[in-house]
Amino acid sequence: MRPTTPSALALLPLLLLVATPAMARDSLGIFESWGAFRDPATPRCYAIAQPVARRGQLSKGFASVGTWPRQKVRGQLHVRMSRALAEKSPVILTVGERRFPLVAGQMDAWAADARGDAQIIAAMRSASSMSVASVGADGRGFADSYALRGAATAIDAAALGCARLR
């Protein structure tokens, strides 16, 4: 895909977030609204996307699925919320028709364990969208929504990108 496509342009702010230092990461491809990257110095590989923009606003959040070969971690979901969360606020990930409770920090959320990650990734492969909802530090509910077209390919590209790294 050429860098001037709308999907690539939409990922530009996210690429800038993860590009420090820019030379440390290799692009494995852009797949619709998802990108796949390898950081051989760590080593790690990940598929990543920003939430669908609302009312012309750029989100500070992202969803990623990462692999860390040295730690023997594969297919781990990480969500950076677009807002700080209210203390002890539950975070619910909805993928298609399935709902998954996530473990949350102040701005981040994860599956509770590797089994939860596997269930979420399997659901992501067959759904067209997902959303993560919670209550912000301001007491107002919110949800970040993601298009999943290209997610499975980006997840696979990230896994393959780290297949030989140790």
Side-chain angles (χ1 to χ4, degrees):
M1 204 177 272
R2 290 187 302 197
T4 57
T5 63
S7 294
L9 291 175
L11 278 175
L12 186 60
L14 183 62
L15 296 174
L16 294 174
L17 280 176
V18 298
T20 309
M23 295 306 190
R25 290 173 180 82
D26 302 327
S27 174
L28 301 172
I30 303 297
F31 309 94
E32 299 292 332
S33 61
W34 286 76
F37 300 90
R38 174 180 43 224
D39 183 356
T42 304
R44 67 180 171 147
C45 297
Y46 52 94
I48 190 166
Q50 285 185 296
V52 176
R54 285 193 264 173
R55 296 180 294 265
Q57 296 175 341
L58 289 176
S59 175
K60 296 177 184 172
F62 63 83
S64 67
V65 176
T67 297
W68 290 264
R70 287 188 185 152
Q71 289 81 15
K72 295 186 171 123
V73 173
R74 185 174 172 192
Q76 184 177 67
L77 176 76
H78 171 225
V79 179
R80 167 63 55 102
M81 306 299 288
S82 62
R83 302 185 208 172
L85 300 173
E87 192 173 328
K88 297 183 182 179
S89 178
V91 176
I92 303 296
L93 175 69
T94 302
V95 184
E97 301 290 320
R98 300 196 57 196
R99 295 171 56 105
F100 302 94
L102 298 180
V103 176
Q106 187 177 10
M107 291 280 302
D108 302 282
W110 305 266
D113 54 28
R115 183 174 181 221
D117 282 321
Q119 291 172 341
I120 291 167
I121 303 308
M124 288 173 69
R125 290 181 177 281
S126 62
S128 61
S129 65
M130 72 178 189
S131 65
V132 59
S134 192
V135 176
D138 61 1
R140 295 175 36 201
F142 73 99
D144 296 333
S145 298
Y146 296 84
L148 291 176
R149 190 169 186 172
T153 306
I155 291 166
D156 292 344
L160 287 171
C162 273
R164 293 188 180 166
L165 296 178
R166 298 285 178 241

